[in-house]
């Protein structure tokens, strides 16, 4: 596999469920990101991991919990979500060095519907 | 004022036309600039980075104007396949963590 992969591609879950989104990058990058894209809104940066450490949490509710076990894998654990959390969740990776930001490569996204 | 602003469009132009978009940013300390394209229900894909001196890739030219705080994208000889939403991205700090996406400009090329 090449690039950035995400599973599942589609997910429907109830508000009381617990599920996880998975992202894997095959580019040798050292930074990974979670974004949320809602209809007619710009991409919202949720979390950033650089060298497996979380470096950014953009005031995301605690019902979203990220996990980065190594530089190639990123998870987003979901629990007790709300209908307004329905969106496209995109994972991205980049090669990050302090002082220089490199371009990001995105996975195909998980389209999440909360019922 | 939004940190990054784009004209949402849609721009509807005939095949072969030249079209240009601008993207303005509010933080004068912004360091890195990019254009991405996003097709309907797909992920954003990097189109080109924007360098201080301007850069060109085939039919696409990107420019940065630091004094007026905007970046531009010019598409020459537009093709039907150029129909997409074009997102500008500005990194407000020299770190991967302060990345701002514009809302995107929708372009539709008609035959």
């Amino acid at each position: 596999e090449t690039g950035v992969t995400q599973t599942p591609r589609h997910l429907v879950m109830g508000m009381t469920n617990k599920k996880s989104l998975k992202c894997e990058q095959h580019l040798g990058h050292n930074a990974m990101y979670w974004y949320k894209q809602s209809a007619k809104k710009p991409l919202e940066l949720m979390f950033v991991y650089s060298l497996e450490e979380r470096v950014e949490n953009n005031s995301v509710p605690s019902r979203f919990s990220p996990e980065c076990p190594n530089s190639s894998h990123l998870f987003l654990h979901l629990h007790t979500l709300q209908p307004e959390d329905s969106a496209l969740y995109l994972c991205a990776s980049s090669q990050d060095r302090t002082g220089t930001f490199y371009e990001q490569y995105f996975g195909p996204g998980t389209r999440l519907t909360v019922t | 004022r939004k940190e990054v602003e784009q004209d949402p469009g849609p721009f509807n132009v005939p095949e072969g036309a030249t079209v240009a978009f601008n993207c303005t940013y509010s933080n004068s300390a912004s360091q890195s600039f990019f254009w991405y394209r996003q097709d309907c229900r797909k992920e954003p894909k990097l189109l080109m980075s924007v360098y201080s001196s301007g850069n060109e890739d085939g039919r696409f030219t990107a420019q940065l104007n630091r004094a007026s705080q905007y970046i531009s994208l010019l598409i020459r000889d537009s093709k039907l396949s150029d129909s997409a939403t074009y997102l500008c991205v500005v990194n407000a700090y020299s770190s991967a963590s302060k990345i701002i996406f514009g809302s995107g400009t929708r372009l539709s090329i008609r035959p």
Side-chain angles (χ1 to χ4, degrees):
Chain A
E1 290 237 47
T2 58
V4 181
T5 58
Q6 288 187 244
T7 54
R9 296 291 307 275
H10 299 272
L11 178 62
V12 179
M13 59 187 287
M15 290 192 284
T16 57
N17 290 162
K18 286 186 181 180
K19 296 284 184 184
S20 295
L21 310 185
K22 179 183 175 183
C23 175
E24 185 172 358
Q25 60 95 2
H26 309 267
L27 300 168
H29 289 160
N30 62 4
M32 295 187 78
Y33 311 73
W34 279 117
Y35 285 89
K36 175 183 178 183
Q37 188 173 35
S38 305
K40 302 192 177 181
K41 283 187 171 182
L43 268 75
E44 301 169 53
L45 180 62
M46 299 174 73
F47 302 103
V48 181
Y49 278 83
S50 180
L51 297 172
E52 298 155 40
E53 288 195 26
R54 193 192 309 181
V55 297
E56 187 70 17
N57 176 345
N58 271 355
S59 303
V60 179
S62 59
R63 57 187 183 267
F64 295 91
S65 173
E67 178 191 359
C68 187
N70 55 61
S71 59
S72 299
H73 293 87
L74 185 65
F75 294 89
L76 187 63
H77 304 300
L78 316 171
H79 65 98
T80 58
L81 295 192
Q82 305 297 311
E84 62 264 28
D85 296 323
S86 299
L88 180 67
Y89 288 85
L90 290 158
C91 172
S93 71
S94 73
Q95 189 62 22
D96 183 30
R97 295 196 185 94
T98 302
T100 306
F101 165 57
Y102 292 90
E103 58 273 10
Q104 296 174 71
Y105 294 85
F106 285 83
T110 295
R111 191 159 295 280
L112 173 68
T113 303
V114 181
T115 60
Chain B
R1 185 185 171 186
K2 288 183 184 175
E3 291 183 85
V4 175
E5 286 201 73
Q6 292 185 255
D7 182 339
F11 285 62
N12 190 325
V13 303
E15 201 173 1
T18 295
V19 61
F21 317 130
N22 280 348
C23 168
T24 59
Y25 59 93
S26 60
N27 190 332
S28 59
S30 298
Q31 301 274 348
S32 310
F33 309 88
F34 305 89
W35 283 104
Y36 284 74
R37 71 170 278 167
Q38 186 171 25
D39 294 292
C40 188
R41 302 182 74 82
K42 296 284 186 83
E43 74 273 21
K45 292 189 176 173
L46 179 70
L47 183 63
M48 53 200 307
S49 304
V50 186
Y51 303 121
S52 296
S53 54
N55 47 304
E56 189 174 309
D57 183 2
R59 298 181 293 107
F60 299 83
T61 300
Q63 299 267 347
L64 166 62
N65 185 319
R66 284 194 185 273
S68 301
Q69 294 183 203
Y70 72 86
I71 62 172
S72 64
L73 177 68
L74 180 79
I75 306 174
R76 288 182 299 278
D77 187 24
S78 52
K79 312 289 184 195
L80 295 175
S81 57
D82 295 333
S83 298
T85 296
Y86 290 83
L87 308 171
C88 79
V89 182
V90 175
N91 186 15
Y93 301 91
S94 57
S95 153
S97 61
K98 299 292 183 185
I99 304 149
I100 311 293
F101 275 76
S103 301
T105 296
R106 202 148 54 91
L107 174 65
S108 178
I109 308 296
R110 62 179 188 270

